[in-house]
Amino acid sequence: MKYMLLMQFSAAGTDFPSIDTWTPEEIRAHIAFMGEVNDKLTAAGEWVDGQGLGGPQQARIVRAGDGGAPVVTEGPFAETKEFLAGFWIVDCASPERAVELAAYISTAPGPGGRPLNMPIEVHPVMSAPAQEL
């Protein structure tokens, strides 16, 4: 079964400073950890895809307007307290394994090497609607 693991950043309830205040060494350690996660997932045969995402200042919200034309607005906005920081798609033998991977990813290091314990959402990837539909 495939699962999407979503790394959420939430300014509410965090006890670490924004990444733009981290030292270059702390940022390198954080990125290296993410590379190690990807390498371990690949070695275990569980890797499907994963990417870090640009911050909210680079995101756009799109809705269909008149005749289906895109209506684009900036956002989520800078005052947003939560945003999607990255994702992985993994192929696991069980939901418990997906939860185990999410917990491990949550330990990504932050300032001083302390684990960030950022929330990681675990979503099954649905390949088709349920048979009863």
Side-chain angles (χ1 to χ4, degrees):
M1 177 80 181
K2 290 185 180 138
Y3 295 88
M4 179 173 262
L5 310 178
L6 300 169
M7 178 180 275
Q8 297 282 343
F9 173 79
S10 173
T14 60
D15 64 351
F16 57 87
S18 167
I19 197 167
D20 60 344
T21 66
W22 297 9
T23 67
E25 294 79 22
E26 291 167 339
I27 292 171
R28 281 192 291 274
H30 184 79
I31 292 169
F33 176 87
M34 297 303 174
E36 291 169 14
V37 166
N38 297 345
D39 291 344
K40 288 179 181 183
L41 292 171
T42 300
E46 296 171 318
W47 170 266
V48 176
D49 193 12
Q51 304 293 325
L53 300 175
Q57 69 279 11
Q58 297 169 305
R60 302 294 174 261
I61 296 173
V62 180
R63 289 184 173 85
D66 291 338
V71 176
V72 181
T73 57
E74 292 182 5
F77 301 100
E79 62 272 9
T80 299
K81 301 217 181 304
E82 297 177 348
F83 64 90
L84 186 59
F87 71 91
W88 291 261
I89 297 177
V90 295
D91 195 350
C92 301
S94 69
E96 293 80 14
R97 176 63 178 153
V99 167
E100 179 183 316
L101 292 172
Y104 177 67
I105 291 168
S106 179
T107 69
R114 283 188 21 236
L116 295 175
N117 297 322
M118 287 175 55
I120 309 294
E121 291 185 27
V122 178
H123 293 264
V125 175
M126 309 306 289
S127 59
Q131 291 292 329
E132 60 272 7
L133 297 179

